[in-house]
Amino acid sequence: MFFNSKKYAEEAEKNHKHDLKQEPSMFNMISLGLLASFAPTRIFLKLHKRRIENKAVIQESSLEQVPIIYFHGFRGGDYTTNVMVHQAMQDKGTDKFLKVSVDLLGNFKLEGTWTNDQHPIVQVAFRQRIVGIYGIDYYLSFVLPFLSKRYHFKKYIAVAHSLACPCIIRTEMKHAYSKTFPHLVKCALIAGPFDGVTYLGDIPNVNILNENGRPSMMNPHYLYLLLNRRKFNSNILVLNIYGNVLDNTNTDKFISVVSAKSIRYILAPKAHFYQEVEVRGKNDAEHSWMHDNPFVIDIVDKFLNLKKFCHLLT
C-alpha cells in the first residue's frame, strides 16, 4: 500500500479555483521547493533581491499586539484557511484582516488591513505550496521575522492545518532562545502529521501509543521534536484537533490518529495548557474538510477567545 498523492492532491484542492495567471508553474513550485528543502542550496534563493508589494493599510495602535496567524500545509493555499479566517472575523466583530502572500525568493504581497486591536488577524499563503516540512520551516524562518519587524509584535498565536502544524512547533523550538524572533503563545493545530503520513512512513494500525502516549515507532521529524522538547516554552497553550473517519484505518484518510496524537507525549508535560479533540465521522473528520468544518472552527475560536472578545465589544 502506498500514499496516494493523486488522491491527496484532488482532496486538498477540491475547493481551490486555480487562477493560472497568478499560480506559479509546477516546475517553479517543485524546483524552488527543492532548493528550500536543503540548507546548502538556500543560498541560491537568497541571491534574489526581495520585492514587497504593499497594498495593506495599517491602523495605528498603542496596544501590545499579538496577531492570530493562519498557516496552511502541503499543497494548500489561501482557500485552506478562508473559512476559518472569515468566521474569526465574524466572531471578533470585524471585517478586516491582513493577507500575506509570499514566495520562496522572499517576495511579499501585502493586502487588506493590519487592525489596531490586540489580536489582528493575518492569513499567510505560500506561493510555492508544493513543499515539505523543511520547505515550510524555511518559509517560517523569514516570514515571521519580516512580519514581526514590520508590524512591531514579539508574540503571536498560530492556527495551523496539516503539515504546518509540526513546522510551527519545530520553528518555536529552533528559535527558543532568540530575543529577536517572534515567539508562540498559543496554537491551534488541525490534522497535524507529527509522526508520519499514511502510507508514507506510517502504515495504519501498525504504530501504537503506549500507556504514556509514546509512539512505538518514531520518524526523524518526530525524534527532532522529542529531543528538543525542553526548548518548548512552558507558557504556551496548545489545542490539538485530529480526525477519524471511522473506517478500518483509524485515520482522517491521510493522517493516522496515532500520528496526530503522538505530539501529546512531547508537548503535554511542557505546555501550560494542552487539550486534544477527536472529530469523528466519514465526512466531518476528513483531512481536507477539517479546516472548513463548523464544529472544528467553533472549538478553535473559543480556544482563541474570539467570541468572548466580540461579546466585550458589544
Side-chain angles (χ1 to χ4, degrees):
M1 297 193 295
F2 299 96
F3 176 69
N4 191 332
S5 59
K6 181 178 180 181
K7 182 180 178 183
Y8 180 87
E10 291 172 351
E11 292 284 350
E13 302 189 33
K14 64 183 180 181
N15 295 322
H16 183 204
K17 296 180 180 178
H18 288 277
D19 185 340
L20 297 179
K21 294 181 180 179
Q22 305 258 336
E23 180 92 334
S25 68
M26 186 64 68
F27 174 78
N28 175 287
M29 288 194 283
I30 293 176
S31 59
L32 294 189
L34 287 173
L35 290 176
S37 297
F38 303 97
T41 58
R42 290 172 183 169
I43 185 65
F44 297 108
L45 299 174
K46 295 177 182 178
L47 292 174
H48 182 275
K49 186 176 180 180
R50 176 176 290 177
R51 296 193 306 270
I52 301 173
E53 183 180 349
N54 185 17
K55 298 181 179 180
V57 174
I58 299 178
Q59 296 179 344
E60 295 298 329
S61 174
S62 59
L63 298 172
E64 182 178 348
Q65 295 180 293
V66 181
I68 301 170
I69 309 180
Y70 291 77
F71 300 96
H72 66 81
F74 177 74
R75 294 196 76 118
D78 56 2
Y79 62 93
T80 303
T81 57
N82 270 342
V83 176
M84 290 192 290
V85 166
H86 284 84
Q87 185 60 51
M89 287 192 294
Q90 181 177 328
D91 289 341
K92 190 177 158 196
T94 184
D95 60 355
K96 294 179 174 62
F97 73 102
L98 179 71
K99 180 178 178 179
V100 180
S101 301
V102 57
D103 65 25
L104 286 169
L105 297 173
N107 299 316
F108 285 84
K109 182 178 180 181
L110 307 173
E111 304 170 274
T113 303
W114 174 270
T115 57
N116 59 6
D117 57 273
Q118 188 175 7
H119 300 296
I121 294 174
V122 181
Q123 180 189 52
V124 174
F126 305 134
R127 295 266 290 153
Q128 285 79 27
R129 52 199 181 80
I130 302 180
V131 288
I133 197 165
Y134 296 120
I136 296 179
D137 277 357
Y138 180 63
Y139 266 123
L140 296 178
S141 73
F142 68 86
V143 169
L144 287 169
F146 171 83
L147 294 176
S148 172
K149 183 177 180 179
R150 192 174 190 90
Y151 298 107
H152 311 293
F153 65 88
K154 297 179 181 179
K155 300 176 181 178
Y156 74 102
I157 297 167
V159 179
H161 177 257
S162 193
L163 197 58
C165 296
C167 293
I168 290 295
I169 305 302
R170 287 166 59 91
T171 297
E172 181 62 28
M173 290 177 174
K174 285 181 181 179
H175 300 278
Y177 306 125
S178 172
K179 295 182 179 180
T180 57
F181 201 92
H183 290 289
L184 197 61
V185 295
K186 184 182 291 191
C187 59
L189 311 171
I190 304 170
F194 298 102
D195 193 17
V197 176
T198 306
Y199 303 128
L200 193 63
D202 182 24
I203 306 300
N205 300 317
V206 172
N207 200 3
I208 59 172
L209 302 176
N210 69 14
E211 60 182 10
N212 295 320
R214 181 187 177 105
S216 59
M217 294 182 290
M218 306 177 190
N219 69 12
H221 304 306
Y222 186 86
L223 283 172
Y224 175 87
L225 298 176
L226 181 62
L227 294 173
N228 288 276
R229 59 181 171 177
R230 69 187 183 281
K231 297 179 181 179
F232 194 75
N233 193 307
S234 60
N235 293 320
I236 299 174
L237 286 72
V238 181
L239 172 66
N240 183 29
I241 303 177
Y242 58 93
N244 187 343
V245 295
L246 299 178
D247 61 9
N248 58 6
T249 64
N250 289 305
T251 69
D252 65 7
K253 288 190 179 180
F254 300 103
I255 310 301
S256 73
V257 170
V258 169
S259 179
K261 289 187 66 172
S262 64
I263 194 63
R264 181 186 184 94
Y265 181 75
I266 295 172
L267 298 188
K270 288 287 297 179
H272 178 70
F273 170 88
Y274 181 94
Q275 183 174 359
E276 58 186 28
V277 178
E278 181 178 69
V279 179
R280 296 183 173 188
K282 181 178 179 181
N283 298 315
D284 291 342
E286 195 273 323
H287 185 78
S288 61
W289 167 246
M290 291 271 283
H291 52 71
D292 289 351
N293 186 331
F295 174 70
V296 171
I297 297 172
D298 187 62
I299 293 172
V300 170
D301 286 3
K302 286 177 179 176
F303 172 69
L304 300 179
N305 289 325
L306 291 180
K307 294 193 172 183
K308 177 181 178 182
F309 182 77
C310 182
H311 174 71
L312 291 175
L313 284 178
T314 56

